[in-house]
């Protein structure tokens, strides 16, 4: 593309800049999400609406809500938060549940972690990062 006018070049640069600043759309909400609708425990971290989670994660959420039965022996066990990615709480505050990963023969990397006060978090990279699940 050839710009014969400095004004057109400047306009194109400004449009590109605007797209970069505002983003092009994403499944993930920003780091803080909409402050008015984001619960206090989720503020400052990436969020995801429960309905936007993979189908297997939504199934795990249903099992958690129903109290089980869970397909993996370790489901419902204490999550130690040794990585420090979630807010610091006393041992036993968090519980973890496996999210089945199609094609994996073991538990895979996906988990849902719940807090005693109803917080719900999702990780798809084996605790390296979490998103707060908005329900």
């Amino acid at each position: 593309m050839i710009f014969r006018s400095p004004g057109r070049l400047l306009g194109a640069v400004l449009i590109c800049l605007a797209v970069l600043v505002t983003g092009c759309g994403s499944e993930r909400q920003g780091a803080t999400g909409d402050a008015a609708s984001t619960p206090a425990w989720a503020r400052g971290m990436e969020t995801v609406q429960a309905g936007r989670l993979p189908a297997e994660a939504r199934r795990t959420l249903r099992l958690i809500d129903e109290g089980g039965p869970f397909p993996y022996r370790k489901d419902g066990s204490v999550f130690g938060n040794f990585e420090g990615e979630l807010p610091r709480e006393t041992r036993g505050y968090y519980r973890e549940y496996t999210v089945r990963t199609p094609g994996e023969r073991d538990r895979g990397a996906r988990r849902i972690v719940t807090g005693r006060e109803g917080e719900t978090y999702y990780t798809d990279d084996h605790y390296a990062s979490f998103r707060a699940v908005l329900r």
Side-chain angles (χ1 to χ4, degrees):
M1 182 181 294
I2 298 174
F3 294 97
R4 296 181 186 198
S5 155
R8 285 188 178 183
L9 176 59
L10 180 60
V13 169
L14 289 175
I15 289 172
C16 289
L17 206 71
V19 168
L20 287 172
V21 170
T22 60
C24 298
S26 170
E27 284 190 24
R28 293 182 177 200
Q29 266 188 289
T32 59
D34 177 8
S37 63
T38 302
W41 60 267
R43 291 197 184 119
M45 69 185 309
E46 287 198 45
T47 60
V48 61
Q49 292 291 330
R52 307 272 302 177
L53 289 171
E56 298 85 6
R58 293 191 310 268
R59 181 176 186 277
T60 300
L61 283 175
R62 280 193 302 276
L63 289 175
I64 293 168
D65 291 345
E66 294 167 1
F70 300 103
Y72 297 91
R73 182 177 54 84
K74 289 190 141 194
D75 287 346
S77 63
V78 171
F79 173 69
N81 193 27
F82 300 119
E83 298 81 0
E85 292 296 315
L86 298 180
R88 183 175 291 223
E89 295 290 350
T90 58
R91 179 143 176 84
Y93 186 87
Y94 295 112
R95 300 287 171 170
E96 71 173 288
Y97 302 86
T98 306
V99 175
R100 188 178 166 280
T101 303
E104 290 286 331
R105 293 188 349 199
D106 62 5
R107 292 175 67 209
R110 303 190 302 179
R111 302 282 187 279
I112 289 181
V113 174
T114 60
R116 193 177 294 148
E117 299 296 320
E119 311 95 307
T120 305
Y121 304 94
Y122 174 72
T123 179
D124 58 7
D125 56 15
H126 205 258
Y127 318 122
S129 66
F130 286 89
R131 288 183 278 166
V133 178
L134 304 178
R135 303 176 81 187

